[in-house]
Amino acid sequence: MTKNISKIKNPNNLDVKAISEAQNSLDSILSKFQTSLSGLTQENAKSRIEQYGKNEVAREKVPSILVQLLMAFNNPFIFVLLVLAIVSFVTDYWLPLQKGEETDLTGIIIILTMVSLSGLLRFWQEFRSNKAAEALKSMIRTTATVLRRAHKDMTPERIEIPLSEIVPGDIVYLSAGDMIPADVRLIESRDLFVSQAVLTGESIPVEKYDTLGAVTQKTSNVGATDIDKDNLLDVNNICYMGTNVVSGTATAIVIATGGDTHFGTLAKSIVGSRAETSFDRGVNSVSWLLIRFMMIMVPIVFVLNGFSKGDWGDAALFALAVAVGLTPEMLPMIVSANLAKGAVGMAKRKVVVKRLNSIQNFGAMDILCTDKTGTLTQDKIILEHHLDINGNVDPTVLELAWLNSYYQSGMKNLMDKAIIRFTEEKTNMKKVGVGLYKKIDELPFDFVRRRLSVVVQNGGDNHLMICKGAVEEMLSIASYVYENGEYLPLDDKRKQALIAIAHEYNREGFRVLAVGVKDIPASETKAQYGVKDETALAIRGFLTFLDPPKESAFDAISALNEHGVGVKVLTGDNEIITIKVCREVGLEPGIPLLGTEIEKMDDAELKVEIEQRTIFAKLTPLQKSRIIKLLQENGHTVGFLGDGINDAPALRDADVGISVDTATDIAKESADIILLEKSLMVLEEGVICGRETFGNIMKYLNMTASSNFGNIFSVLVASAFLPFLPMLAIHLLIQNLLYDISQLSLPWDKMDDEFLQKPRKWDALNIRRFMIWIGPTSSIFDITTYVLMWFVFSANSIEAQSLFHSGWFIEGLLSQTLVVHMLRTQKIPFVQSTAAFPVVVMTLFVMAVGIYIPFSPLGSLIGLQPLPWLYFPWLLVTLFSYCCVAQLMKRIYIKRFGQWF
């Protein structure tokens, strides 16, 4: 069927090669791509990778080293330093040079050194972070099944290859759970339903066909030549890269890969632009909080010093230095270091972190929603019973179940595998059955029907439809039961008896499927059957499966509860067996909320109900996603643990999506975090790691905010009374640099056990409060140092300002560095809680350097001088007093506001 492709409109002028193939005949497509239904040879595929490139779309790639280096300096706070350097160059070098006076480049060199150190430290840490993240991502492989030949004359074989190795002309096989690996034209399809939510946002799957007649259910009256920008994705014989198969099977030919696909074209237009996450908003809110303080304080300092000292140039320079002192220029690096350390720590626990920011969300999580099958329970389901309708063992039911599972061509689920494994281990059914039966057709499983049918032929002309599925759904399409060799009507009494048997096994912890058949006489047989043919079945019996809980489930749920994380079970399974499993893993089930009940509720009603329920059963994928979104609207940080196709929407919508390495492709792609081992105890470790990471970030924020605010408050007081600047701009900059260096070890610090006991979230209000309450505490002792230097050491004139500067420089730096130990814990530092060894070493090193600077050649260059030894006993008294007052303020603050960080 060849039609004029010029009539197909392409929205936004996207260069999508798939559209040009929508109307071409299969023969013309095979000819164009120089391939056949036997697939490509390996040599041919290799040459096509060289021709077309790898099947990869534009994505957030790690920049080159040079770009990373330049980006490390792309920081508004570094720009403030550079402005300061330019002002210093003009006032200390260029103007004196014009007047023939002595020039001084010392200030400029020190400022640029600080800029360089700040940028290089950030670059090195983020470079390591990117390397760690890329190494972890490379552990996850997504594959596709293709038809390939080793050589031209050899028999083609189905093989799995990485998605990146798919090339145009490849013949691919698709089944439920697969991600569409490229833009493909369908060759054959069977009840193929594809979710295009990743491209359209439409959650309802669309049906795709291997012919180009009516398009989809939504646009069934639209012909191919009428396709416009509103239904480009409704072309029914094209599947697009990045979408996923919900149900059905198909064979297709690849017609576009990588950047030539529809997904790839869209990716090119959006790469580099990421939606702002709650984590980003938290960091930004704190940064802007500090910047607002800077915008208030800097003009005040400038005006006070300008009027009181009369030198507006020095006042401007000092005001800029104050701006630098208030800015958290190390914040990006501290955040990156903490997240990278958290990711590497979780990797040691066999957890792959795909998105670094999800680590903090892991720690903030206060509700974990989890699927049941394969997450709370083991992934190996065991077939326990094959029974007739009266509950007696029946080999015929096993035979029918095996035929159904063996001949279905879709993704075999755990129950199909259990049936095949049991039958092949216990009977010779495979040897006998394969020869006796011939497959005619199948109706694949989907999450709406919740059943699977195959049609077989046994020697004669009659066909036999064998259907297995959930009990309720099977009974809804059955009209008969098979008992004692005859078919009897399925009346209400027999139906209730069947339901009672199923419920009895459910209560014992078994999952139950019903098996039904339909004899189709020769006069009614056909080549293809549809869902409408699944009627008037006869129930033959039941299959029971044991899906025991994971050994680690009970301990993991107990540990999560102890750490303030509530657990809710969201499952498509029935409520009876879910209650049984929940009790075995230590969850009090309460009254389950069913999908049918949820469907009748509006959001306001459901918001109330979800807070009171633990089990949500018989859910569709959309209902799982809806519950998660409403929990988020209720103020919760929600995690979701799932591994199936039907979990993908929930994994995307959760604050942190958690999957396992054995999950379906789409589940792994949707997840933020992937567990590489089956033990659920790693969840508790992940929560603790997330809280440690977040806690160390908050330490930096609170310490920097309060310490910097305290310093600037001290500057305001001094500026109002001193005849000279309380500290030169260069002193403030060096002090700030040394303090920042002392903070670099914080990612290796430990958190108090009390902090790890409950979820933690960004709280800009508490940081502002912390700033205003704790900051001025250090100012008290800055002021006592002013008094000390003014009256005891007679540093009370412009000629003696160097001595004054030296005394405050050391006291200010040491008290600021002590903040690291005083504020890192709500306990008594050094007694009840001691910092990690790297923190202790780094702070001692910075304090030693600070004391040494006035005695060093650098000190004389920047206007400092050695202090008399009598100063140091006074310094010890000041620092000890500061520790006592800071601890007292800490107690008052916690008592008043009920929290520390």
Side-chain angles (χ1 to χ4, degrees), residues 139-153:
M139 296 171 67
I140 303 300
R141 288 186 67 205
T142 306
T143 60
T145 302
V146 301
L147 194 65
R148 290 271 179 93
R149 294 171 287 166
H151 300 288
K152 184 176 181 181
D153 299 326

Side-chain angles (χ1 to χ4, degrees), residues 663-680:
T664 57
D665 290 347
I666 188 65
K668 286 189 288 188
E669 287 292 332
S670 301
D672 302 304
I673 289 174
I674 299 177
L675 312 181
L676 298 182
E677 62 177 27
K678 295 180 181 179
S679 173
L680 294 180

